[in-house]
Amino acid sequence: MRPVKRSQRDRGETYAWEDHRMPSRGGTAIAVLTLAASALTGAPAASAGAAPDPVTAIQRQLVKGHGVRIDQRDTFNSGFGWDLLKPVKGVIGFGNGKVVATDLRDYNSAKRGTRNLCIGKRGWQYDPKGLPKGKTWVTYKWPCELAVGSGFIRLDEPATFKAVLATTTSQRPAGTYDGTRTTLYQGTITFGQLHDAHPAKDFGFLSKPEYTDWTVSWRLWIGEDRLVRRAWSKWREPEAETMKGASNGQGWFGFVYDVHLSDWGVKADIQPPPRDRTATIAESKR
């Protein structure tokens, strides 16, 4: 399946909790090559002015107060055809070499989207309906995914990113994203390889030995500064194609994650809402 086409999105300004509304933002043949992992993941720079490898380029961005904007469009298949989900947009914040916070609006759950803040293990959702007077946010232990990448293809985890790049099978010049020309790298990696690269990572049921041969197809559009501007990945149950149109109600599952990344280094000071405007789950009328 080819990734869903979509137009280039507009940029906006960094936003904080004071305003609960998200600002409106307003056949080349693929040459197959064999890549040594060091060519992308750890080779010394040829000169002082040479661009870093992609893993190093990303790690240099993971500093306090900086972040990146995302526009994510996923596609899901439960056995009866592919459905394009509505976008998730916002800012991912960095610090101390990792993702530390997110400020995202998910347009799948409400007409104007549901805004969610996540800092560490605590989350806040903007939803004034059913809350005590003066309260506009609900806080709870959020099952946050503090990450940047595409599905299981993590860009903020050096070992995982290196393992992914080591499975590159082709590369070619691609389009312009976020104002920079990109090179498209693509390949396929197994869940076993992902687990070996990051043994502590929990892939849910896919962590079981019987699923280690299942694969994730991936594509990365890498800019001239070696930063990823678009990350695409797809995985499905191996029997997916033969079960297409299954009528037994069981179906099968498949996912496509398509994430555009822009404004690397954007100011990202994601803070929790004021306590006097925040309610607990117990206080909400749901």
Side-chain angles (χ1 to χ4, degrees), residues 23-196:
S24 59
R25 291 177 283 189
T28 302
I30 296 178
V32 178
L33 70 159
T34 302
L35 292 175
S38 61
L40 283 172
T41 60
S47 66
D53 65 89
V55 177
T56 300
I58 295 288
Q59 287 299 303
R60 289 178 179 177
Q61 295 292 318
L62 306 184
V63 298
K64 185 178 180 180
H66 289 191
V68 66
R69 300 185 194 279
I70 71 162
D71 183 344
Q72 180 168 340
R73 311 289 178 103
D74 295 339
T75 310
F76 170 68
N77 194 322
S78 60
F80 306 98
W82 292 94
D83 293 318
L84 176 63
L85 304 181
K86 294 180 180 179
V88 176
K89 300 182 179 182
V91 171
I92 295 176
F94 307 139
N96 300 319
K98 59 184 179 181
V99 175
V100 297
T102 60
D103 186 348
L104 304 175
R105 186 176 288 262
D106 185 346
Y107 289 89
N108 290 283
S109 55
K111 186 175 181 180
R112 291 187 175 182
T114 300
R115 187 178 177 193
N116 296 295
L117 302 179
C118 179
I119 304 172
K121 296 182 179 180
R122 175 64 63 176
W124 296 262
Q125 183 177 87
Y126 180 84
D127 186 2
K129 296 180 180 179
L131 298 182
K133 185 177 180 180
K135 307 287 187 179
T136 55
W137 295 84
V138 177
T139 183
Y140 42 88
K141 285 293 183 71
W142 186 260
C144 297
E145 184 179 3
L146 293 176
V148 60
S150 171
F152 298 105
I153 307 302
R154 292 283 298 270
L155 306 180
D156 54 307
E157 294 177 351
T160 300
F161 195 8
K162 286 180 181 180
V164 170
L165 289 174
T167 63
T168 300
T169 56
S170 68
Q171 69 178 55
R172 65 176 175 84
T176 297
Y177 291 88
D178 191 33
T180 182
R181 295 178 181 176
T182 64
T183 299
L184 171 61
Y185 295 83
Q186 61 185 42
T188 301
I189 191 169
T190 66
F191 281 103
Q193 290 172 305
L194 287 169
H195 186 272
D196 289 344

Side-chain angles (χ1 to χ4, degrees), residues 1-5 219 232 256:
M1 173 184 174
R2 296 180 179 178
V4 178
K5 295 182 178 179
R219 300 171 190 170
W232 180 99
V256 174

